[in-house]
Amino acid sequence: MRRRQFLQYGGGLAGVAGLSFLSGPLLAQAAPPPIEVSLRIQEADVEMVDGSAVFMWAFSLGTGKPSVPGPVIRLKQGQTVTLTVQNLASTPHSLQIPGMPGVSLGPIAPNGIGSVTFTVGLPGTYFYLDPDRAPLNRLLGLHGAIVVEPAAQPPGSPATPYAAGQATPGVRALFSALGNHARFPGSPWQPGRDRIWVFNQIDPRINKLAEAGDLAGALDLTASFLPRYFTINGLSGVDAAHDEATVPRGRVGQPLLLRALNAGLATHSPHIHGNHVFTTAEIVESSHAVRVLDNIIEEDTWSMPPLMRRDLLLPFAKPPEIPDAAWPPRQEKFPLIYPMHCHNEISQTSAGGSYPLGLVTDWIIEGPL
């Protein structure tokens, strides 16, 4: 019998931090060097917000701690990547990056290894996931985020998360206004200033069947999916609201890019208090390719159907409900803490009713401009 790891439901965040070295040094290089990324797939018992544990599959970076979602991988456009996956689970698994043609490997037998070498495509936010027995393997933990950054920023133009030929006039206008318009005083957006929000939902009945080896029964049960846990970066409720890797933080005038992905089966409607957001990119549903938008709309709630990926600019502007004459606030001291929660009411609960221990977190304004 394989010895299974027990994961407290914050494990994914360690994975996020563990790959941060992939982003900073690469930003300044016009010709990113080739890299190798090694992932492992293994079985785990994952702790929910109420202390119960469910069976899941989890990715780890090499011999690092497995996590759900898997560790964030940051790449550069045009970079040559050799991706190796070792399957330590007792069932075959595969890996795919939807929207990035040619990046698919598997099925990988138990104790087997698969590998693929590819050139990184257009900048944006992507999933890596196990597409087998869809949506079962993805739903039970085999998913993570890939951030692709531009190979270089065009000289004399504002930095954006996208390649020069990919950014639309609307995106260029929005990022040009940051720090240069009365609506957005402060600084331009800084490459790498982002937060990744991976949503998922868990129906423990499905996990229990998979643990018992009844994968056909588990897949059939996804047709009557009844989630009892709703997570963001593997966390729920107060755990997510106190997690530094999840919570956007900064002063007024320090815009941040939210990269939202929904790995689950429920459609979410995230709503953010204190500021509105601007959707800059989403996916083409038929191909899962990144589509950079031109008609940029200011929103306070956005839709996240299953497998959707969206980039949204959080401007970190002065909250509009605070009058100019009362700014900066004198009675309520900094930091100002605002919630993000889903407007689908059931997603605010866990274990069938514990409120508000579902899909909720905070974002924090640390001080004025």
Side-chain angles (χ1 to χ4, degrees):
M1 178 178 293
R2 213 173 282 277
R3 184 172 182 177
R4 196 184 301 161
Q5 292 208 34
F6 179 78
L7 304 179
Q8 290 184 312
Y9 217 73
L13 309 171
V16 170
L19 270 183
S20 61
F21 71 93
L22 287 174
S23 63
L26 294 176
L27 287 173
Q29 300 182 24
I35 64 167
E36 297 181 358
V37 177
S38 297
L39 293 172
R40 285 183 169 180
I41 294 173
Q42 51 197 299
E43 297 164 352
D45 293 318
V46 180
E47 184 183 41
M48 301 288 97
V49 68
D50 61 353
S52 62
V54 297
F55 168 85
M56 298 190 86
W57 292 302
F59 283 111
S60 67
L61 181 66
T63 58
K65 184 179 179 181
S67 62
V68 179
V72 175
I73 299 173
R74 291 182 183 266
L75 304 172
K76 299 288 280 189
Q77 181 191 13
Q79 194 168 30
T80 300
V81 178
T82 298
L83 176 61
T84 300
V85 179
Q86 183 178 14
N87 181 14
L88 300 179
S90 59
T91 53
H93 290 284
S94 299
L95 187 136
Q96 188 178 63
I97 303 178
M100 199 167 291
V103 188
S104 180
L105 60 100
I108 308 167
N111 294 314
I113 297 177
S115 181
V116 62
T117 298
F118 63 97
T119 300
V120 178
L122 289 171
T125 307
Y126 295 82
F127 269 123
Y128 64 95
L129 52 80
D130 180 355
D132 292 349
R133 306 182 196 92
L136 182 67
N137 293 7
R138 178 188 92 231
L139 194 64
L140 265 61
L142 291 181
H143 60 263
I146 290 180
V147 173
V148 176
E149 296 166 333
Q153 293 289 342
S157 299
T160 80
Y162 311 109
Q166 187 187 23
T168 62
V171 162
R172 287 195 292 271
L174 175 62
F175 282 78
S176 295
L178 300 174
N180 293 296
H181 190 278
R183 174 75 168 78
F184 302 115
S187 305
W189 177 74
Q190 301 297 314
R193 179 162 163 74
D194 60 16
R195 281 290 184 273
I196 290 85
W197 285 355
V198 180
F199 305 141
N200 193 27
Q201 309 94 40
I202 295 153
D203 180 346
R205 301 176 305 158
I206 296 173
N207 300 62
K208 192 170 184 178
L209 285 176
E211 182 178 20
D214 184 3
L215 299 183
L219 180 58
D220 287 345
L221 200 53
T222 61
S224 55
F225 187 57
L226 289 174
R228 288 175 62 84
Y229 300 98
F230 302 85
T231 62
I232 173 173
N233 293 341
L235 302 170
S236 301
V238 65
D239 292 338
H242 288 83
D243 181 71
E244 287 297 323
T246 299
V247 175
R249 179 186 289 273
R251 299 177 71 89
V252 167
Q254 295 181 327
L256 177 143
L257 192 72
L258 294 171
R259 301 180 183 272
L261 311 90
N262 185 7
L265 289 181
T267 294
H268 283 304
S269 300
H271 166 69
I272 196 161
H273 289 225
N275 267 195
H276 292 168
V277 294
F278 300 82
T279 299
T280 59
E282 60 183 18
I283 63 168
V284 179
E285 291 188 23
S286 58
S287 65
H288 291 260
V290 173
R291 173 169 59 193
V292 181
L293 302 181
D294 190 22
N295 184 21
I296 309 296
I297 299 173
E298 186 171 5
E299 305 164 280
D300 70 350
T301 304
W302 67 95
S303 177
M304 290 295 297
L307 288 177
M308 175 54 73
R309 314 182 317 256
R310 288 190 192 277
D311 294 345
L312 309 106
L313 184 81
L314 177 60
F316 270 81
K318 178 184 79 66
E321 72 270 17
I322 302 178
D324 290 343
W327 184 262
R330 289 174 286 277
Q331 293 182 332
E332 184 178 0
K333 304 296 184 183
F334 288 106
L336 304 181
I337 302 174
Y338 290 91
M340 184 287 292
H341 64 95
C342 177
H343 268 183
N344 294 340
E345 191 170 358
I346 186 176
S347 72
Q348 299 306 284
T349 68
S350 70
S354 296
Y355 176 90
L357 293 179
L359 180 59
V360 61
T361 189
D362 288 335
W363 73 281
I364 298 174
I365 298 177
E366 296 176 318
L369 185 66

